[in-house]
Amino acid sequence: MTNNPKPKLPIQVIFAILLLVATLTVGFVVLLVIFKPAITTLQLPNLISPTQTLSKTPVALTDTASPTWTSTIIPTNTSTPTVAPSLIPTYTPIAKPLPDLTVTGISDPVCLRDGRSGSVTLTIVVRNIGRGATRSFGRFDVRINLILGQKHYGLDEWASRFNGVIGSSNPEIVNLNPNADVELKIALDLKGSSIFGIEAIANSGTNSIPESDTTNNTLIKYYSVYCY
């Protein structure tokens, strides 16, 4: 049995094939260079670029104060109880009864037999005709004036200027109950005068107190007397 030899391609054909393959390869490369598409990185949201270098940055821990919870009192609409005016007790001070002072009398003058001419003594009576005592309101004064002509001399003035007061009761009254009297006595040197008057005013002077009526506080009496 004889082996039939395999047909061989001519070298020119092989060379031509290689040249064609090389040509096609070069052409393809040239085309890729000429028409190179712009390769862009897909921009995907929240994706790291392939060329991005990841860096580890240390995170510094800070001491952050924890939130403090405070309790807040929420006001409630609570109505305040009101008390009717008629239910509120009222305290009305009870007014004390007022006194009413009056000079009820001035006695006739009595001549003094002390060796001085024109010296007399008199008695003035002051009464409380009001419903209240004077104790609750304080002390009061009784003013006594000597009238000579048109001139009124208080006892202090008559004593300091003319040395004309021989003696007198204390005109300052501490207390006078209702329907009670107080008597004041005076002794005067009239300095030769025989006609004179005596004026007495209850609740007058430095100390004065409230009264229910002050229109009857004054009494005046005139005299004509000769004392030798």
Side-chain angles (χ1 to χ4, degrees), residues 65-117:
S66 300
T68 303
W69 298 96
T70 57
S71 60
T72 303
I73 299 175
I74 301 175
T76 58
N77 296 325
T78 303
S79 58
T80 303
T82 57
V83 181
S86 59
L87 300 180
I88 300 176
T90 57
Y91 299 95
T92 303
I94 300 175
K96 297 179 180 179
L98 293 175
D100 185 4
L101 306 174
T102 183
V103 180
T104 58
I106 303 175
S107 69
D108 292 335
V110 177
C111 293
L112 285 174
R113 303 302 179 182
D114 58 354
R116 289 178 293 185
S117 62

Side-chain angles (χ1 to χ4, degrees), residues 164-187:
V165 178
I166 300 172
S168 67
S169 301
N170 186 359
E172 195 175 78
I173 311 304
V174 176
N175 179 53
L176 194 58
N177 291 321
N179 299 319
D181 295 336
V182 62
E183 292 184 353
L184 303 177
K185 297 184 180 295
I186 57 172

Side-chain angles (χ1 to χ4, degrees), residues 23-40:
T23 302
L24 291 176
T25 300
V26 173
F28 179 73
V29 172
V30 172
L31 290 176
L32 287 178
V33 173
I34 296 174
F35 299 100
K36 181 181 180 181
I39 300 175
T40 57

Side-chain angles (χ1 to χ4, degrees), residues 118-141:
S119 298
V120 297
T121 61
L122 302 100
T123 300
I124 294 98
V125 180
V126 178
R127 176 175 297 174
N128 179 10
I129 60 176
R131 297 185 300 110
T134 63
R135 182 187 298 107
S136 302
F137 305 97
R139 60 185 61 193
F140 67 93
D141 293 336

